Amino acid sequence: MPPSIMRAHLAAPLFIALATTTASASARAEGPEPAPPTGAAGGQDAASKGTTDIDNAGKFAQVKKPEEEESTDATELQISAGGLMATGNSRSGAVTGQGTFRLRRKIHEFGAAIAANYGVAAADKDSDLEPNVANVQGKLRYDIFFHKRISAFVMFTQRHDPFQGLTYRLNFDPGFAFYVLQKKDHRLWFEAGYDLQHDIRCRPSAPDDVCATEMLLPEDETFTNHSARLFAGYAITWDEKISFSTGFEYLQSVIDAKKYRFVWDMAFQASIIERLSLAITFTLRYDKTLLPEFRPLDTTTAFNLVYKFF
């Protein structure tokens, strides 16, 4: 058989098979399409649905909103007052009062406080009542938080206490504070900075209204000191009904190493009824910058009723 005829006979089956396949495909196209399988691997491409097939994880991970941090904004104002009276063979009376204010808005915080204590006593029924406690204290402070845990601050405090030989004491304290815990009801922080202390002094025998200039030599009228300041504070509130706070301040003179002072205070407060609480406070002061005739250690313990406005 000639080669050309042989090639035609061999190609015929191939053309028939191709035609049959084409016709079959055309017939399927004209009829209704079967529904795609519903399995994960069939039908529409899984990636186009926004899903993956890894361990049937389902959807791609969605971007979550960061958890909102607890707000540190606060507005606090409270006043406290207490007293004691004794009569009989010995007579005594004492009153104490305090007011505090704290305002925090975003990176700014302002605080103010004032406290006063006054007491009189007579050793026997024939003696006159004489003052044995008389002091007034005040504080102003401003913080700016350039980090959620770190602030720069400036603070002014003043004290009038003739029984410590102080007609007037002014302290100026700039520094930095670092908050280990910074929550509305739970705070732990440390401070470091500088302290400028300026005293106007009186002798123990001087009346309250007599300035040191009438009782002392010119070189003893005033005293100015420069110190390094360290402070640690802690405060916690449970269920808005019970609170505890404490603080320790140490100041070391950079002029005379023998002159230093520290203050430790603590307060416990428990709610009686809404907004009204009972508070117990204790303050210890050890001051080696006082005149030699004064004892360096003083303590004050007070029981007060506290009203919180907001």
Side-chain angles (χ1 to χ4, degrees), residues 15-174:
F15 288 134
I16 295 172
L18 181 59
T20 305
T21 303
T22 303
S24 174
S26 300
R28 286 197 301 269
E30 293 174 358
E33 287 190 8
T38 57
Q44 185 179 355
D45 185 358
S48 67
K49 296 180 181 178
T51 62
T52 64
D53 293 328
I54 301 177
D55 295 330
N56 291 322
K59 299 180 179 179
F60 286 119
Q62 297 180 351
V63 178
K64 295 182 179 180
K65 295 181 179 179
E67 294 183 1
E68 294 184 0
E69 296 184 0
E70 182 179 358
S71 174
T72 56
D73 287 1
T75 304
E76 301 172 0
L77 173 64
Q78 62 182 31
I79 60 171
S80 62
L84 169 70
M85 183 176 67
T87 62
N89 294 310
S90 64
R91 292 167 291 154
S92 64
V95 292
T96 179
Q98 182 178 7
T100 60
F101 176 71
R102 175 173 170 256
L103 178 68
R104 173 73 186 270
R105 291 294 184 271
K106 296 182 179 179
I107 66 171
H108 304 283
E109 181 170 306
F110 173 77
I114 186 169
N117 302 282
Y118 184 77
V120 294
D124 54 64
K125 63 179 182 179
D126 297 322
S127 300
D128 293 331
L129 290 169
E130 295 183 357
N132 60 353
V133 176
N135 58 67
V136 179
Q137 308 153 61
K139 180 177 73 173
L140 293 173
R141 173 167 170 155
Y142 170 73
D143 287 71
I144 182 168
F145 287 80
F146 54 88
H147 183 276
K148 65 180 181 180
R149 294 186 182 275
I150 304 174
S151 74
F153 68 86
V154 60
M155 179 171 62
F156 292 90
T157 60
Q158 69 82 34
R159 182 178 182 87
H160 167 70
D161 193 341
F163 288 95
Q164 285 191 330
L166 299 174
T167 296
Y168 184 75
R169 167 176 285 179
L170 174 67
N171 289 95
F172 169 65
D173 299 285

Side-chain angles (χ1 to χ4, degrees), residues 165-186:
L166 299 174
T167 296
Y168 184 75
R169 167 176 285 179
L170 174 67
N171 289 95
F172 169 65
D173 299 285
F176 295 91
F178 174 71
Y179 288 79
V180 179
L181 295 173
Q182 173 68 310
K183 297 182 179 180
K184 185 176 181 180
D185 296 328
H186 197 189

